[in-house]
Amino acid sequence: MDKDRKDIIRKIEKLMAIASDPAASDQEIQLSAFKVNKLMIQYKIDEYELLGETKNKNVLSKTLDIKSTGYCHWVLRVLAKHFRCRTYYRGKINANNCTFGFYGLEDDLKIIMPIAEALVKYLDNNLKDLKECYIYDIDFRKFKRSYFSGFADGLDSILNQALLEMKIDEKYEVAIIGVPAIVEDYFEKNIRHVKSSTSDTSEEGYELGNRDGRRYDIKQNNLLDIS
């Protein structure tokens, strides 16, 4: 390891010490965490390098047992980002029998898989309820797309907030360093990327999805009491 990289790691370790200091103020913790995040992403450093470890470096793939609409991928992509993984789907984005999977390190996959499974089941139940009581004039398929888009944005917002405020318990603590470089590199080399566009949208669908996404509790798979 070259001297410059060692200096960066020492700087990160000092910042992490501040972030974990019980005597540090909320502002000091947030600023230190932000700087750690920025440095680790910039220099592609993960916690295994910080600890001098080389084990558990293999990128693995896991597939969810449950299938659902491809629009779930938008939501799972947000979840994966916050839990140090990358996600993919097989099938058509507007189909209802898509398969979803994750790439990541073993420890991260163990955490994200049950959370993702519960989230997809929650979205499926919501979708059934919405379809049964749908009252708007716009085609339900457009409403559904907008709902999932809004839910993804809402979930991203609440997870970012939880990270800054350190409100997620230890088991589900959102990593501050993002997706490890080894996972990003593996994903980019092995997954074919397909862009999906949404031309027609429903404002009502997006707003409802955004609200539900902001209220979703990844710890207990229910709704947070947010005023």
Side-chain angles (χ1 to χ4, degrees), residues 7 95 119 168:
D7 290 341
L119 179 54
I168 295 181

Side-chain angles (χ1 to χ4, degrees), residues 61-120:
S61 175
K62 294 284 186 180
T63 304
L64 293 181
D65 293 331
I66 188 173
K67 294 184 178 182
S68 184
T69 172
Y71 297 123
C72 281
H73 174 67
W74 297 345
V75 179
L76 294 177
R77 188 167 54 192
V78 169
L79 190 70
K81 177 185 70 172
H82 286 278
F83 284 86
R84 301 164 40 80
C85 297
R86 291 297 301 268
T87 187
Y88 62 91
Y89 72 99
R90 296 191 185 99
K92 294 183 178 180
I93 190 72
N94 58 353
N96 293 320
N97 61 345
C98 287
T99 300
F100 306 98
F102 294 88
Y103 282 104
L105 302 179
E106 183 177 3
D107 291 344
D108 298 323
L109 288 173
K110 286 180 181 178
I111 294 175
I112 197 173
M113 293 301 290
I115 298 174
E117 189 93 14
L119 179 54
V120 173

Side-chain angles (χ1 to χ4, degrees), residues 5 15 20 43 72 81-82 91 107 125 137 145-146 161 171 199-201 203 211 223 226:
R5 194 168 184 82
L15 289 167
S20 60
Y43 293 96
C72 281
K81 177 185 70 172
H82 286 278
D107 291 344
N125 289 333
D137 293 331
R145 287 199 303 267
S146 299
Q161 180 182 340
K171 182 179 178 182
S199 53
D200 296 325
T201 60
E203 183 177 347
R211 185 199 68 186
L223 297 181
I226 298 177

Side-chain angles (χ1 to χ4, degrees), residues 1-11 13:
M1 185 186 302
D2 59 59
K3 182 179 181 299
D4 289 343
R5 194 168 184 82
K6 287 181 179 178
D7 290 341
I8 294 297
I9 288 177
R10 279 196 290 268
K11 185 174 182 179
E13 288 172 341

Side-chain angles (χ1 to χ4, degrees), residues 22-61:
S25 66
D26 290 343
Q27 185 176 6
E28 289 174 324
I29 291 173
Q30 292 180 22
L31 182 58
S32 298
F34 174 79
K35 289 180 177 179
V36 166
N37 184 42
K38 184 176 180 180
L39 287 171
M40 295 185 83
I41 292 175
Q42 180 180 354
Y43 293 96
K44 295 186 176 181
I45 296 171
D46 60 32
E47 77 273 26
Y48 299 108
E49 184 173 358
L50 285 176
L51 297 173
E53 298 178 356
T54 57
K55 64 180 180 179
N56 200 20
K57 293 286 286 185
N58 292 330
V59 178
L60 304 177
S61 175

